[in-house]
Short mmCIF file of all heavy atoms in Angstrom, two decimals:
data_model
loop_
_atom_site.label_atom_id
_atom_site.label_comp_id
_atom_site.label_asym_id
_atom_site.label_seq_id
_atom_site.Cartn_x
_atom_site.Cartn_y
_atom_site.Cartn_z
N ARG F 244 5.73 -43.48 15.16
CA ARG F 244 4.53 -43.14 14.56
C ARG F 244 3.38 -43.14 15.44
O ARG F 244 3.43 -43.69 16.53
CB ARG F 244 4.19 -44.28 13.48
CG ARG F 244 5.19 -44.57 12.45
CD ARG F 244 4.80 -45.59 11.48
NE ARG F 244 4.32 -46.85 12.10
CZ ARG F 244 5.17 -47.70 12.58
NH1 ARG F 244 6.52 -47.63 12.32
NH2 ARG F 244 4.68 -48.87 13.10
N ASP F 245 2.42 -42.36 15.09
CA ASP F 245 1.14 -42.21 16.05
C ASP F 245 0.57 -43.53 16.30
O ASP F 245 0.28 -44.38 15.51
CB ASP F 245 0.21 -41.23 15.41
CG ASP F 245 -0.88 -40.93 16.35
OD1 ASP F 245 -0.75 -40.94 17.61
OD2 ASP F 245 -2.12 -40.69 15.81
N GLY F 246 0.42 -43.86 17.57
CA GLY F 246 -0.23 -45.18 17.93
C GLY F 246 0.65 -46.33 18.15
O GLY F 246 0.36 -47.47 18.62
N GLN F 247 1.99 -46.17 17.80
CA GLN F 247 2.98 -47.19 17.91
C GLN F 247 3.26 -47.51 19.30
O GLN F 247 3.28 -46.64 20.17
CB GLN F 247 4.31 -46.79 17.14
CG GLN F 247 5.43 -47.80 17.13
CD GLN F 247 6.59 -47.29 16.34
OE1 GLN F 247 6.63 -45.99 16.14
NE2 GLN F 247 7.43 -48.19 15.97
N VAL F 248 3.57 -48.80 19.68
CA VAL F 248 3.90 -49.15 21.01
C VAL F 248 5.32 -49.45 21.03
O VAL F 248 5.87 -50.38 20.19
CB VAL F 248 2.97 -50.43 21.49
CG1 VAL F 248 3.47 -50.92 22.84
CG2 VAL F 248 1.53 -50.05 21.49
N VAL F 249 6.02 -48.90 22.03
CA VAL F 249 7.48 -49.11 22.04
C VAL F 249 7.92 -49.33 23.52
O VAL F 249 7.07 -49.20 24.39
CB VAL F 249 8.30 -47.82 21.44
CG1 VAL F 249 8.02 -47.62 19.98
CG2 VAL F 249 7.77 -46.59 22.32
N GLN F 250 9.14 -49.77 23.63
CA GLN F 250 9.69 -49.97 25.08
C GLN F 250 10.86 -49.23 25.30
O GLN F 250 11.67 -48.99 24.29
CB GLN F 250 9.96 -51.46 25.24
CG GLN F 250 8.66 -52.29 25.47
CD GLN F 250 8.98 -53.69 25.91
OE1 GLN F 250 10.05 -54.29 25.50
NE2 GLN F 250 8.04 -54.34 26.69
N ALA F 251 11.02 -48.72 26.43
CA ALA F 251 12.22 -47.90 26.75
C ALA F 251 12.69 -48.28 28.19
O ALA F 251 12.06 -48.78 28.96
CB ALA F 251 11.90 -46.36 26.85
N LEU F 252 14.05 -48.08 28.34
CA LEU F 252 14.79 -48.58 29.59
C LEU F 252 15.02 -47.32 30.48
O LEU F 252 15.49 -46.37 30.10
CB LEU F 252 16.10 -49.27 29.25
CG LEU F 252 16.95 -49.76 30.39
CD1 LEU F 252 16.21 -51.01 31.11
CD2 LEU F 252 18.30 -50.24 29.94
N VAL F 253 14.66 -47.40 31.77
CA VAL F 253 14.95 -46.37 32.72
C VAL F 253 16.36 -46.35 33.11
O VAL F 253 16.90 -47.32 33.42
CB VAL F 253 14.04 -46.53 33.97
CG1 VAL F 253 14.26 -45.34 34.92
CG2 VAL F 253 12.45 -46.61 33.60
N GLN F 254 17.03 -45.16 32.88
CA GLN F 254 18.37 -45.04 33.19
C GLN F 254 18.69 -43.70 33.93
O GLN F 254 17.80 -42.83 33.96
CB GLN F 254 19.18 -44.96 31.85
CG GLN F 254 19.41 -46.28 31.27
CD GLN F 254 20.37 -46.29 30.06
OE1 GLN F 254 20.97 -45.23 29.72
NE2 GLN F 254 20.84 -47.47 29.61
N VAL F 255 19.76 -43.54 34.43
CA VAL F 255 20.28 -42.32 35.14
C VAL F 255 21.57 -41.80 34.37
O VAL F 255 22.48 -42.65 34.10
CB VAL F 255 20.62 -42.48 36.55
CG1 VAL F 255 21.29 -41.26 37.19
CG2 VAL F 255 19.38 -42.88 37.37
N ARG F 256 21.45 -40.59 33.93
CA ARG F 256 22.63 -39.90 33.37
C ARG F 256 22.94 -38.56 34.17
O ARG F 256 22.14 -37.76 34.27
CB ARG F 256 22.35 -39.55 31.92
CG ARG F 256 22.29 -40.77 31.03
CD ARG F 256 22.42 -40.43 29.57
NE ARG F 256 22.37 -41.68 28.74
CZ ARG F 256 22.30 -41.67 27.47
NH1 ARG F 256 22.43 -40.46 26.69
NH2 ARG F 256 22.30 -42.82 26.77
N GLY F 257 24.11 -38.60 34.92
CA GLY F 257 24.40 -37.59 35.72
C GLY F 257 23.47 -37.56 36.92
O GLY F 257 23.29 -38.63 37.62
N ASP F 258 22.73 -36.54 37.20
CA ASP F 258 21.67 -36.49 38.30
C ASP F 258 20.27 -36.61 37.73
O ASP F 258 19.43 -36.41 38.42
CB ASP F 258 21.86 -35.36 39.08
CG ASP F 258 21.70 -34.11 38.33
OD1 ASP F 258 21.76 -34.08 37.03
OD2 ASP F 258 21.68 -32.93 38.96
N LYS F 259 20.12 -36.98 36.45
CA LYS F 259 18.75 -36.96 35.67
C LYS F 259 18.32 -38.32 35.54
O LYS F 259 19.08 -39.19 35.00
CB LYS F 259 18.88 -36.11 34.54
CG LYS F 259 19.17 -34.72 34.70
CD LYS F 259 19.11 -33.89 33.37
CE LYS F 259 19.49 -32.47 33.55
NZ LYS F 259 18.64 -31.79 34.52
N LEU F 260 17.18 -38.71 35.80
CA LEU F 260 16.46 -39.96 35.47
C LEU F 260 15.81 -39.83 34.29
O LEU F 260 15.09 -38.73 33.90
CB LEU F 260 15.42 -40.27 36.72
CG LEU F 260 14.77 -41.64 36.50
CD1 LEU F 260 15.70 -42.67 36.78
CD2 LEU F 260 13.51 -41.53 37.45
N GLY F 261 15.95 -40.78 33.36
CA GLY F 261 15.21 -40.65 32.02
C GLY F 261 14.96 -42.00 31.39
O GLY F 261 15.34 -43.10 31.90
N LEU F 262 14.56 -41.89 30.14
CA LEU F 262 14.31 -43.16 29.46
C LEU F 262 15.18 -43.33 28.18
O LEU F 262 15.42 -42.33 27.58
CB LEU F 262 12.82 -43.15 28.96
CG LEU F 262 11.74 -43.07 29.94
CD1 LEU F 262 10.30 -42.99 29.32
CD2 LEU F 262 11.69 -44.31 30.81
N LEU F 263 15.78 -44.42 27.96
CA LEU F 263 16.53 -44.61 26.81
C LEU F 263 15.71 -45.22 25.79
O LEU F 263 15.33 -46.42 25.90
CB LEU F 263 17.72 -45.49 27.22
CG LEU F 263 18.70 -45.65 26.03
CD1 LEU F 263 19.45 -44.40 25.69
CD2 LEU F 263 19.81 -46.83 26.38
N LEU F 264 15.34 -44.54 24.74
CA LEU F 264 14.43 -44.94 23.72
C LEU F 264 15.12 -44.95 22.36
O LEU F 264 15.48 -43.82 21.89
CB LEU F 264 13.24 -44.09 23.72
CG LEU F 264 12.16 -44.41 22.53
CD1 LEU F 264 11.56 -45.78 22.66
CD2 LEU F 264 11.00 -43.32 22.66
N ARG F 265 15.39 -46.11 21.91
CA ARG F 265 16.07 -46.17 20.55
C ARG F 265 17.33 -45.37 20.53
O ARG F 265 17.61 -44.76 19.51
CB ARG F 265 15.16 -45.93 19.48
CG ARG F 265 13.96 -46.69 19.30
CD ARG F 265 13.12 -46.47 18.11
NE ARG F 265 11.99 -47.50 17.94
CZ ARG F 265 11.12 -47.48 16.99
NH1 ARG F 265 11.15 -46.49 16.03
NH2 ARG F 265 10.16 -48.40 16.96
N GLY F 266 18.17 -45.49 21.57
CA GLY F 266 19.38 -44.75 21.74
C GLY F 266 19.47 -43.34 22.11
O GLY F 266 20.36 -42.70 22.27
N ARG F 267 18.17 -42.75 22.18
CA ARG F 267 18.03 -41.47 22.62
C ARG F 267 17.57 -41.30 24.09
O ARG F 267 16.60 -41.94 24.50
CB ARG F 267 17.02 -40.55 21.79
CG ARG F 267 16.89 -39.10 22.04
CD ARG F 267 15.96 -38.38 21.17
NE ARG F 267 16.27 -38.45 19.86
CZ ARG F 267 16.94 -37.44 19.21
NH1 ARG F 267 17.16 -36.30 19.82
NH2 ARG F 267 17.13 -37.45 17.99
N PHE F 268 18.19 -40.46 24.92
CA PHE F 268 17.93 -40.17 26.27
C PHE F 268 16.72 -39.21 26.46
O PHE F 268 17.05 -38.10 25.98
CB PHE F 268 19.15 -39.88 27.15
CG PHE F 268 18.93 -39.78 28.55
CD1 PHE F 268 18.89 -40.85 29.31
CD2 PHE F 268 18.70 -38.51 29.21
CE1 PHE F 268 18.77 -40.89 30.82
CE2 PHE F 268 18.48 -38.51 30.60
CZ PHE F 268 18.34 -39.58 31.34
N ILE F 269 15.55 -39.48 27.05
CA ILE F 269 14.50 -38.54 27.17
C ILE F 269 14.40 -38.50 28.68
O ILE F 269 14.05 -39.28 29.48
CB ILE F 269 13.35 -39.20 26.51
CG1 ILE F 269 13.47 -39.61 25.06
CG2 ILE F 269 12.17 -38.24 26.72
CD1 ILE F 269 12.38 -40.23 24.53
N GLU F 270 14.48 -37.16 29.15
CA GLU F 270 14.38 -36.85 30.63
C GLU F 270 12.94 -37.00 31.02
O GLU F 270 11.97 -36.79 30.30
CB GLU F 270 14.78 -35.37 30.82
CG GLU F 270 14.90 -35.10 32.29
CD GLU F 270 15.54 -33.68 32.44
OE1 GLU F 270 16.10 -33.14 31.48
OE2 GLU F 270 15.28 -33.10 33.55
N THR F 271 12.82 -37.71 32.17
CA THR F 271 11.44 -38.05 32.71
C THR F 271 10.82 -36.79 33.24
O THR F 271 11.52 -35.88 33.79
CB THR F 271 11.59 -39.02 33.74
OG1 THR F 271 12.29 -38.58 34.84
CG2 THR F 271 12.02 -40.31 33.23
N PRO F 272 9.52 -36.71 33.28
CA PRO F 272 8.80 -35.49 33.82
C PRO F 272 8.92 -35.59 35.41
O PRO F 272 9.09 -36.68 35.96
CB PRO F 272 7.28 -35.72 33.36
CG PRO F 272 7.21 -37.08 33.02
CD PRO F 272 8.57 -37.63 32.54
N ALA F 273 8.73 -34.42 36.00
CA ALA F 273 8.71 -34.42 37.48
C ALA F 273 7.65 -35.26 38.02
O ALA F 273 6.50 -35.32 37.55
CB ALA F 273 8.59 -33.04 38.03
N GLY F 274 8.03 -36.25 39.08
CA GLY F 274 6.96 -36.90 39.63
C GLY F 274 6.92 -38.33 39.12
O GLY F 274 6.07 -39.13 39.60
N ALA F 275 7.67 -38.78 38.15
CA ALA F 275 7.65 -40.06 37.52
C ALA F 275 8.13 -41.04 38.66
O ALA F 275 9.20 -40.85 39.17
CB ALA F 275 8.48 -40.13 36.28
N ASN F 276 7.46 -42.09 38.88
CA ASN F 276 7.72 -43.17 39.77
C ASN F 276 8.20 -44.39 39.23
O ASN F 276 7.65 -45.42 39.16
CB ASN F 276 6.52 -43.43 40.59
CG ASN F 276 6.69 -44.32 41.91
OD1 ASN F 276 7.95 -44.29 42.31
ND2 ASN F 276 5.76 -45.02 42.36
N TRP F 277 9.49 -44.21 38.58
CA TRP F 277 10.13 -45.42 37.92
C TRP F 277 11.44 -45.73 38.55
O TRP F 277 12.07 -44.84 39.35
CB TRP F 277 10.41 -45.03 36.43
CG TRP F 277 9.08 -44.81 35.63
CD1 TRP F 277 7.96 -45.55 35.81
CD2 TRP F 277 8.98 -43.87 34.62
NE1 TRP F 277 7.03 -45.05 34.85
CE2 TRP F 277 7.59 -44.11 34.14
CE3 TRP F 277 9.74 -42.96 33.95
CZ2 TRP F 277 7.09 -43.29 33.14
CZ3 TRP F 277 9.27 -42.14 32.80
CH2 TRP F 277 7.98 -42.47 32.49
N GLN F 278 11.84 -46.93 38.43
CA GLN F 278 13.15 -47.46 39.01
C GLN F 278 14.17 -47.60 37.92
O GLN F 278 13.80 -48.05 36.86
CB GLN F 278 12.84 -48.77 39.71
CG GLN F 278 11.81 -48.62 40.83
CD GLN F 278 12.25 -47.66 42.02
OE1 GLN F 278 13.44 -47.59 42.37
NE2 GLN F 278 11.28 -46.96 42.51
N VAL F 279 15.45 -47.38 38.25
CA VAL F 279 16.56 -47.62 37.30
C VAL F 279 16.48 -49.08 36.83
O VAL F 279 16.46 -49.97 37.75
CB VAL F 279 17.84 -47.22 37.98
CG1 VAL F 279 19.00 -47.50 36.94
CG2 VAL F 279 17.78 -45.74 38.24
N GLY F 280 16.67 -49.34 35.56
CA GLY F 280 16.69 -50.72 35.09
C GLY F 280 15.28 -51.10 34.60
O GLY F 280 15.24 -52.21 34.07
N GLN F 281 14.29 -50.42 35.11
CA GLN F 281 12.97 -50.89 34.68
C GLN F 281 12.68 -50.66 33.18
O GLN F 281 13.10 -49.70 32.57
CB GLN F 281 11.86 -50.02 35.52
CG GLN F 281 10.51 -50.32 35.17
CD GLN F 281 9.47 -49.39 35.97
OE1 GLN F 281 9.90 -48.70 36.78
NE2 GLN F 281 8.19 -49.46 35.66
N THR F 282 11.81 -51.58 32.56
CA THR F 282 11.51 -51.51 31.17
C THR F 282 10.02 -50.90 31.25
O THR F 282 9.11 -51.45 31.88
CB THR F 282 11.55 -52.71 30.35
OG1 THR F 282 12.84 -53.19 30.42
CG2 THR F 282 11.12 -52.64 29.01
N VAL F 283 9.82 -49.89 30.39
CA VAL F 283 8.52 -49.20 30.44
C VAL F 283 7.91 -49.22 29.03
O VAL F 283 8.62 -49.08 27.97
CB VAL F 283 8.79 -47.61 30.75
CG1 VAL F 283 7.30 -46.93 30.69
CG2 VAL F 283 9.35 -47.46 32.12
N THR F 284 6.70 -49.66 28.88
CA THR F 284 5.99 -49.84 27.74
C THR F 284 5.15 -48.50 27.39
O THR F 284 4.47 -48.03 28.26
CB THR F 284 5.06 -51.08 27.69
OG1 THR F 284 5.80 -52.18 28.01
CG2 THR F 284 4.42 -51.22 26.33
N LEU F 285 5.45 -48.01 26.22
CA LEU F 285 4.78 -46.69 26.03
C LEU F 285 4.06 -46.75 24.62
O LEU F 285 4.46 -47.44 23.71
CB LEU F 285 5.92 -45.59 25.82
CG LEU F 285 6.84 -45.46 27.01
CD1 LEU F 285 8.16 -44.77 26.56
CD2 LEU F 285 6.15 -44.74 28.14
N ARG F 286 3.00 -45.96 24.50
CA ARG F 286 2.25 -45.76 23.31
C ARG F 286 2.58 -44.33 22.83
O ARG F 286 2.42 -43.36 23.52
CB ARG F 286 0.74 -45.97 23.51
CG ARG F 286 -0.03 -45.74 22.20
CD ARG F 286 -1.55 -45.84 22.39
NE ARG F 286 -1.91 -47.34 22.74
CZ ARG F 286 -2.11 -48.21 21.94
NH1 ARG F 286 -1.88 -48.16 20.66
NH2 ARG F 286 -2.40 -49.42 22.56
N VAL F 287 2.97 -44.28 21.57
CA VAL F 287 3.19 -42.80 21.01
C VAL F 287 2.01 -42.22 20.51
O VAL F 287 1.04 -42.86 19.93
CB VAL F 287 4.16 -43.06 19.74
CG1 VAL F 287 4.43 -41.68 19.08
CG2 VAL F 287 5.42 -43.84 20.07
N GLN F 288 1.79 -40.95 20.97
CA GLN F 288 0.57 -40.20 20.62
C GLN F 288 1.16 -38.88 19.94
O GLN F 288 1.63 -37.94 20.66
CB GLN F 288 -0.25 -39.89 21.80
CG GLN F 288 -1.45 -39.03 21.48
CD GLN F 288 -2.43 -38.83 22.63
OE1 GLN F 288 -2.94 -39.80 23.12
NE2 GLN F 288 -2.64 -37.63 22.99
N ALA F 289 0.94 -38.73 18.70
CA ALA F 289 1.36 -37.64 17.88
C ALA F 289 0.51 -36.30 18.21
O ALA F 289 -0.63 -36.51 18.54
CB ALA F 289 1.34 -37.89 16.39
N SER F 290 1.10 -35.16 18.11
CA SER F 290 0.35 -34.07 18.32
C SER F 290 0.46 -32.98 17.24
O SER F 290 1.60 -32.89 16.62
CB SER F 290 0.86 -33.28 19.61
OG SER F 290 0.27 -32.11 19.77
#
Side-chain angles (χ1 to χ4, degrees):
R244 305 183 306 278
D245 187 31
Q247 184 179 15
V248 176
V249 296
Q250 289 189 325
L252 182 66
V253 181
Q254 286 192 348
V255 171
R256 292 194 177 179
D258 59 349
K259 298 184 182 300
L260 184 71
L262 298 174
L263 185 65
L264 175 61
R265 296 187 174 180
R267 185 182 292 266
F268 185 79
I269 303 170
E270 190 172 341
T271 59
N276 187 23
W277 294 326
Q278 302 296 322
V279 176
Q281 176 184 354
T282 298
V283 180
T284 303
L285 306 162
R286 180 185 295 278
V287 179
Q288 181 174 301
S290 171

